[in-house]
Amino acid sequence: TVCTIGVLTADAYKITDEFGVGRRFDGIGGLSGGGATSKLLVSYPEPQRSQILDLLFKQQHGAALQILKVEIGGDGQSTDGSESSHMHESWDESYHRGYEWWLMKEAKKRNPDILLSALSWAFPGWVGDYGSDPYKNVSKLAYYTVSWIKGAKEVHNLTIDFIGIWNERMWNNDYILELRSSLDRNGFRNTKIVAPDTFGMEYSGFEKLFENATLRNALYAIGVHYPGTELPRNMRSNGVPLWSSEDYSTFNDDVGAGCWARILNQNYVNGNMTSTISWNLIASYYSALPYERDGLMTAMHPWSGHYTIDNPIWVTAHTTHFASVGWNYLKHGKGSGKLGAGGSFVSLTNGKDLTIVIETLSHNHSICIRPSLPAYNVAEQSATFVFSGSFSAIKKLQLYTTRFFFDGRSTVPFEKQADAIITDSKLTLRLAVDAVYTLSTIVSPGRVEPKDIPAASDFPLPYSENFDSYAADEEPHYLAQQNGAWEVVKSEGESFVRQKVLNHEIAWCGQSFASTAAVIGDAKWRDVSISIRVRVPSSKGANTLFAALRSSSYGCGEDTSTGLFLWLNPNTTTYWISYDIASLHIAYIGLLPTPFQLDQWHTASLSVVGSTFSIGIDSHSISVALGKGAASHGFVAFGSQGYGYSDWDDLRVESGV
Ligand code: 147
């Protein structure tokens, strides 16, 4: 249909519930983890830390997220680091590790209705009897997962609303059924299963999840990743709720914000998906780690308190300030669809209130990381909305706009405009290209931003950490574990950090790494010196330890990391220097005057200035001239080859000598 208003011709779109409403809106979420994506957030000073949490979770404030999805730590690397498991071994259980418990509680404080969702990436080895298959014994895996849900309830009073299977790896029907019955037996009937959290080619097998009625009933929703807003027809038509349970992962500049605006609408318009979850919630990891700034906003400078409110936050607000979980979308052609000259709109209602979100993002200004985006055009256009059914009496709607310019002018996000007046049940809007519009009966305060955000500064040197100020099991500030679990231990009046994982985990990245590792500092560091005390316990201790400078390529590339590595071998006099974590490139082999003793603290010092690398082990010291292949800059790192306990204390980092 076409309406003529003065000289303008506008396409007309019905907004009506006369023929019923569309699917239930399940909410917009952010994902903390998969992995360690909130690592630096917990270290922020006040008031910045609370400001950031408000911007993520407080209702009608910033993103006002409706779902918080977290990783169930599995001790292994899961993208930007490893998150600690609640059960490193079946006998080593704690619900005070990591920062996801803290984050969920902070989210609930700000929005008691926020829904919590959880998923595993890696698993501790014992879950699969130390093999690589977590489904080897499905009741063991269900016990592991339900223990986490129980811990959430009993220790933290957190109710987990949704639980997944295994991130982006094969799913297992027997496990889904076992998990469902184990949840029911343990009093978690209301914890719903969303699965299988896989992507791409694997969609072809998804219909198998609907064929078996028992399996279908065990699932609340099918969760897919990076669907590119499309799903196959047989999935769209069978009535099971469909979620984009991980999406976005795009650099959070305005193209990233454009990606997010387009997929939030079009995941419903093209794919019938009713929930979209951003990987990640907040980019709160060292910028040199993988997927820099692929979060709704950025907080990677805890030492200065600096953070940025990136525009994906305000794009989210365009929906979340005006529609709650449990509302319904209006059907395709009755309130949701594509616009005539490009772009899309969705309507949401609770039967009384109405919200319409329109996006007109052009192709090049809304490209996401994956999958590739087929060409399409968007032009400036007028759109006439024609209201009927429950909406025929609406006289005006609040109007909020975001306009992206991409021409040097800065974006004005989420700006409140004069009310849009509806005459004769019709409203015509002139729509610019690269814009987001919300029309709603609901009022939001609009964009309210904290003022005086501190400027960014580099990681402060000199730096020292004695690990005394933490509670047992806490992860130390700034120390970004890359493999294994690095937790504070309090013993005999001492407080130190211990790598606590004893066995290879069931890895999420390709295969389990040969080394445990944690990094700290700045990947740009060149000339730096450190000292650290190290100890290997005689019981369950690691075989070989390292401390390193100028170390880089972590994340799933952990086992190919480079740097200047000093290796120590308990019980022997041998030590060596390598240019890589795999010790493929050994630069020097030396002997200590006496063997490196177990159960004793030793002091290691490393210093690099230009191309001279000096090391000290207790009173022994040498210097070597760096050769070809030696890294030029990177983090401070330490860890072990193989698994097993290693203890670390009194880290000091200085610039230069
Ligand atoms: C996802 C993971 O689930 C996240 O933990 C995080 O690593 C994220 C980063 O973009 O990616 O994994 C994917 C990795 C590759 C593809 C899809 C998802 N892929 O190539 O299509």
Side-chain angles (χ1 to χ4, degrees), residues 87 108 158 161 187 254 257 267 280 284 317 353 454 479 637 640 647 657:
M87 292 174 140
K108 280 280 180 191
L158 291 165
D161 300 286
D254 281 355
N267 275 345
N280 47 61
S284 214
D353 283 304
L479 185 66
S640 64
D647 298 343
V657 208

Side-chain angles (χ1 to χ4, degrees), residues 33-35 78-79 121 167-168 199 225-226 246 249 279 291 294 369-370 508:
S78 50
T79 297
W121 268 248
N167 184 63
E168 295 183 350
F199 63 94
H225 289 190
Y226 306 93
E246 187 190 309
S249 187
W279 190 91
Y291 303 104
D294 285 12
I369 191 171
R370 63 177 84 92
W508 181 75

Side-chain angles (χ1 to χ4, degrees), residues 414-426:
F414 199 49
E415 201 178 40
K416 186 159 174 28
Q417 311 291 344
D419 290 351
I421 306 300
I422 300 174
T423 343
D424 296 336
S425 297
K426 288 194 184 76

Side-chain angles (χ1 to χ4, degrees), residues 26 111 126-127 409 448 549 581 605 653:
D26 279 327
N111 175 6
W126 65 271
V127 169
R409 276 180 291 169
V448 180
L549 306 180
I581 201 169
S605 53
V653 186

